[in-house]
Amino acid sequence: MSISKISSELFHKLVGLAALELTAAEGAYLLTEMNHQLSSVNALLQVPLEEGIQPTLHGIQCLGAGPRADAWQPFPTPGEILAGAPETEDGMFAVPDVKGAK
Amino acid sequence: MSLNQLSALEVAARVRAGELSAREALEASLAQIHAVDGQQGSLEQKPLDPSEEQKVHAFIRLTEDLARQQADEIDRKLSAGEDPGMLAGVPVSIKDIFTLQGIETTAASRILWNFKPPYTATSVQKLIDAGALILGKVNLDEFTFGSSSESSAFKPAPNNPWDPSRVPGGSSGGSTASVAAEEVALSLGTDTGGSIRQPAAFCGVVGVKPTYGRVSRYGLMAFSSSLDCPGPIARNVSDAALMLQVIAGNDSKDSTSSVVPTSNYLDALKEGVKGLRVGLSPDYTHLFYPDFETGELAMESIQKEISDSVQHAASVLADLGAEIVENVPLPNAKYGIPTYFVVSRVEAASNLHRFDGVKYGYRTPVEVDDLQDLIRRTRAEGFGSEVKLRILMGMYLSSEGYAANYYQRALKVRAMIRRDFDCAFDPHGEHRLDVILTPTTATTSFKRNDVFGNTVRMQYSDQMTVSANHAGLPAVSVPGGLDADNLPIGIQFIGPDFREDLILRAGYAYEQATLDEAWRSVRPAVLRQEVAK
């Protein structure tokens, strides 16, 4: 497998997808660090994977009771949630218009 | 001995016996915080008085009123003949990544500077129910992303009480600093790749990363959901066992919380190590760094004083009757950091999408064109550079065209890391270990700003700790000596699933057998300064 680097073009695409904005200096620093981190990550490409090894999501086998029942449970104090929002209107979160939405 | 030097067990025993009021314990703790902590972490970039350079700066926010109410309730219960709980009157700090209803919970990030959660984390509630006094929220790396606590948006970042020009480690640096500086007896931290154990080693305290699922994650702001573990930080192993006893257990609010019964961790300490099989691995004696050009791994030995401390601990345990098993192969441990770069970043990117300036926290004050503009500007202003880096890296590594090479492959290497430990602990295998003894870190604490900004070098300071997270295993760091600069050294015990009792037994036996060693009488620099005043 080839050792890849993140191009400036791909980096700027990722910044848009991540809903971020960066100054030029911040962008240059982050791209450099991403490629340095990728050098470390690329070591994984050299690992001889054991035959039949299955990916693991937690390392340990999760021994929990599993997800809760998919049942609606009202939050006792919804006003506390709304009180923490930057802007509300008629008991709902308020946001600016979505461009192009009717 | 001052009240602040008492262990949590001693404080609780005295309070429960009526020899000390919870209010007295609280006021002593607050006095120590006011003496050594200095200016609390803040978003305002205030100029620091030079004297502040010698302070600890563990706290972002003190919760004195809450703690006084809790102390008065403990004292009332005692007067009424009611049981005040196992942690009656014990001062505790909370890493500011756990929710506490009605109290600002920031994750050390501007994007949550004013967030008051409407609910309390399960582990915090258990501490409160057991009679602990919550003194405040302590600083950390922003969203726990770091190993020095320097990435916090709340400045000044914490200093190391042993040498305030150095970092306390991270991300639970405020927690370990507050315990080492005797501001509190216990602190609640989190460990995703070593964030309890590495700062515990740097600050000369005990830090436990429990088995994944042993302590509920409900109310912990998620970084990497498959790796995050809340855990105790204390000044000795008994206190760590006591705190784990309180916070461990199943929680229906966390689907990955385990239903495996908890042990009696305090009783287990007394069982000693006679007959325990303690493993040493040649794969925990070096760091493996990437060459940025070739991607090949370069090798670097760990600090000699640290490897000497591990060997000394092995000989102490052997004298106590443990069987030392050398040359235990853990060959995939060297891939722990590359694997962590992938798994943790992918999960972090997913978890951080929720911060958008709509539902809670910071919203840009700038006039915006539309909703997308609002979200972009809010995230640009609200997140620090390390957070943006992790989001971008996670999105890259999980994107179409790269995920098979990186994410899927990392999950397989993670399984191989786990398999190494399964072989080492297999009761019918070649090594049949009860615990593995390793260094906690490759170096002692580094100077502020020496590593910060070099994100690869910073991440590699977790190489000795991260494999236990990948495998989900319990591990503890205990103080193992001081280096030539009087900086603490940490040694680590890793155990099988849900065998916190074993790692605590090993740590306790080592601690008790070395109580008279000269290095244990040396105190952190900030406490020596207090005596000199």
Side-chain angles (χ1 to χ4, degrees):
Chain A
M1 290 174 214
S2 63
I3 303 297
S4 52
K5 289 269 184 187
I6 300 165
S7 68
S8 178
E9 183 186 11
L10 176 56
F11 176 76
H12 286 105
K13 188 176 172 191
L14 288 169
V15 171
L17 290 171
L20 291 171
E21 285 180 349
L22 306 174
T23 64
E26 195 176 23
Y29 166 70
L30 293 180
L31 178 56
T32 301
E33 288 301 310
M34 283 179 76
N35 276 317
H36 285 170
Q37 292 188 5
L38 198 56
S39 299
S40 171
V41 170
N42 279 327
L44 294 179
L45 306 183
Q46 322 295 328
V47 180
L49 293 179
E50 293 169 17
E51 197 172 335
I53 192 85
Q54 295 298 309
T56 181
L57 284 174
H58 289 93
I60 187 173
Q61 185 187 353
C62 274
L63 299 169
R68 283 169 281 175
D70 186 14
W72 178 67
Q73 294 177 29
F75 190 76
T77 51
E80 283 186 49
I81 297 174
L82 286 169
E87 189 181 351
T88 60
E89 195 176 303
D90 299 330
M92 288 184 271
F93 300 121
V95 296
D97 290 339
V98 177
K99 197 175 271 180
K102 289 181 182 175
Chain B
M1 184 184 279
S2 78
L3 285 179
N4 299 311
Q5 289 174 265
L6 294 179
S7 69
L9 272 167
E10 289 168 314
V11 170
R14 288 192 189 189
V15 169
R16 291 169 63 88
E19 298 165 6
L20 172 70
S21 72
R23 194 65 185 249
E24 285 173 310
L26 168 65
E27 296 304 335
S29 190
L30 285 171
Q32 178 73 350
I33 291 168
H34 293 310
V36 304
D37 206 63
Q39 190 173 303
Q40 289 163 25
S42 161
L43 287 176
E44 297 170 36
Q45 303 297 312
K46 298 177 194 164
L48 274 187
D49 183 275
S51 65
E52 291 284 332
E53 293 287 327
Q54 300 304 313
K55 299 292 186 182
V56 178
H57 306 298
F59 282 82
I60 287 180
R61 178 174 302 279
L62 283 177
T63 50
E64 295 178 59
D65 291 344
L66 173 68
R68 287 200 172 95
Q69 286 170 22
Q70 291 169 335
D72 290 346
E73 176 62 8
I74 300 295
D75 291 335
R76 185 203 63 75
K77 281 185 176 177
L78 282 162
S79 300
E82 298 171 26
D83 184 350
M86 288 172 72
L87 293 177
V90 175
V92 174
S93 67
I94 305 291
K95 186 176 182 177
D96 201 17
I97 196 77
F98 290 96
T99 59
L100 180 53
Q101 186 175 9
I103 303 289
E104 283 91 342
T105 299
T106 68
S109 180
R110 179 180 294 275
I111 209 156
L112 285 174
W113 72 281
N114 59 351
F115 173 54
K116 290 184 181 177
Y119 64 101
T120 296
T122 296
S123 49
V124 177
Q125 191 61 54
K126 285 187 170 188
L127 291 170
I128 295 169
D129 292 346
L133 310 179
I134 308 301
L135 268 288
K137 308 297 279 301
V138 279
N139 216 335
L140 63 147
D141 282 295
E142 186 175 1
F143 278 104
T144 78
F145 297 171
S147 307
S148 68
S149 302
E150 291 168 288
S151 71
S152 171
F154 288 72
K155 306 293 185 192
N159 291 331
N160 191 319
W162 289 82
D163 175 352
S165 70
R166 294 175 185 270
V167 302
S171 61
S172 306
S175 288
T176 55
S178 66
V179 173
E182 299 174 355
E183 296 173 282
V184 288
L186 301 172
S187 189
L188 180 65
T190 64
D191 192 313
T192 304
S195 281
I196 286 175
R197 289 161 291 155
Q198 185 255 26
F202 278 14
C203 289
V205 296
V206 176
V208 182
K209 173 227 170 293
T211 310
Y212 182 82
R214 179 74 297 169
V215 177
S216 170
R217 292 183 296 114
Y218 180 74
L220 159 64
M221 291 184 205
F223 158 19
S224 183
S225 304
S226 77
L227 296 161
D228 294 338
C229 292
I233 292 160
R235 281 193 297 276
N236 63 47
V237 176
S238 307
D239 281 0
L242 171 70
M243 182 168 170
L244 182 62
Q245 199 74 58
V246 169
I247 62 176
N250 181 247
D251 178 14
S252 61
K253 294 173 179 166
D254 172 3
S255 67
T256 60
S257 165
S258 178
V259 294
V260 173
T262 57
S263 304
N264 188 321
Y265 304 114
L266 275 168
D267 281 356
L269 300 181
K270 302 181 187 97
E271 292 177 31
V273 291
K274 191 169 184 184
L276 281 195
R277 291 174 63 83
V278 178
L280 293 171
S281 174
D283 297 306
Y284 274 80
T285 55
H286 294 83
L287 278 188
F288 295 90
Y289 281 100
D291 182 308
F292 291 149
E293 296 304 317
T294 65
E296 297 293 322
L297 291 179
M299 202 165 72
E300 186 181 304
S301 293
I302 65 170
Q303 193 173 323
K304 184 171 183 307
E305 293 147 306
I306 295 177
S307 50
D308 288 349
S309 291
V310 171
Q311 289 301 324
H312 174 59
S315 78
V316 167
L317 294 173
D319 288 346
L320 294 170
E323 212 172 319
I324 306 300
V325 182
E326 298 196 62
N327 294 317
V328 177
L330 296 164
N332 292 298
K334 63 176 169 291
Y335 302 120
I337 294 296
T339 304
Y340 187 75
F341 267 129
V342 179
V343 173
S344 70
R345 271 51 173 185
V346 168
E347 294 185 10
S350 172
N351 279 322
L352 288 164
H353 282 308
R354 72 191 63 171
F355 300 101
D356 54 10
V358 172
K359 302 177 289 297
Y360 39 71
Y362 176 80
R363 175 183 282 195
T364 180
V366 175
E367 193 162 326
V368 295
D369 296 335
D370 60 13
L371 179 59
Q372 288 306 317
D373 194 23
L374 170 87
I375 295 172
R376 270 195 308 273
R377 284 175 183 266
T378 295
R379 287 161 66 86
E381 295 164 15
F383 287 143
S385 290
E386 181 62 38
V387 179
K388 292 171 185 169
L389 179 59
R390 295 201 183 203
I391 293 171
L392 291 167
M393 199 66 188
M395 292 187 70
Y396 170 75
L397 293 167
S398 58
S399 59
E400 190 178 3
Y402 299 98
N405 260 3
Y406 293 124
Y407 185 60
Q408 290 300 323
R409 196 173 180 85
L411 295 183
K412 290 180 179 177
V413 177
R414 185 174 180 182
M416 289 164 58
I417 293 170
R418 168 75 198 193
R419 186 170 291 182
D420 287 349
F421 285 110
D422 284 341
C423 290
F425 291 128
D426 182 353
H428 307 293
E430 181 184 350
H431 301 292
R432 304 182 306 285
L433 299 181
D434 294 297
V435 295
I436 299 168
L437 168 61
T438 78
T440 309
T441 58
T443 68
T444 52
S445 171
F446 39 85
K447 292 272 186 187
R448 291 197 304 261
N449 297 314
D450 263 11
V451 181
F452 188 58
N454 182 340
T455 60
V456 173
R457 181 88 192 179
M458 186 69 83
Q459 190 66 80
Y460 272 82
S461 69
D462 291 334
Q463 183 166 323
M464 303 289 153
T465 50
V466 73
S467 290
N469 297 81
H470 287 310
L473 299 170
V476 60
S477 178
V478 298
L482 299 174
D483 73 3
D485 294 322
N486 268 348
L487 296 172
I489 289 167
I491 59 171
Q492 175 177 233
F493 294 99
I494 305 171
D497 294 343
F498 302 105
R499 295 308 305 272
E500 285 80 4
D501 57 325
L502 286 176
I503 58 171
L504 292 168
R505 268 170 69 186
Y508 180 76
Y510 166 75
E511 177 187 84
Q512 294 301 305
T514 57
L515 282 180
D516 292 334
E517 291 189 359
W519 61 271
R520 288 202 183 268
S521 63
V522 182
R523 292 180 30 90
V526 295
L527 300 180
R528 297 200 295 270
Q529 289 161 12
E530 279 307 298
V531 171
K533 276 182 185 172

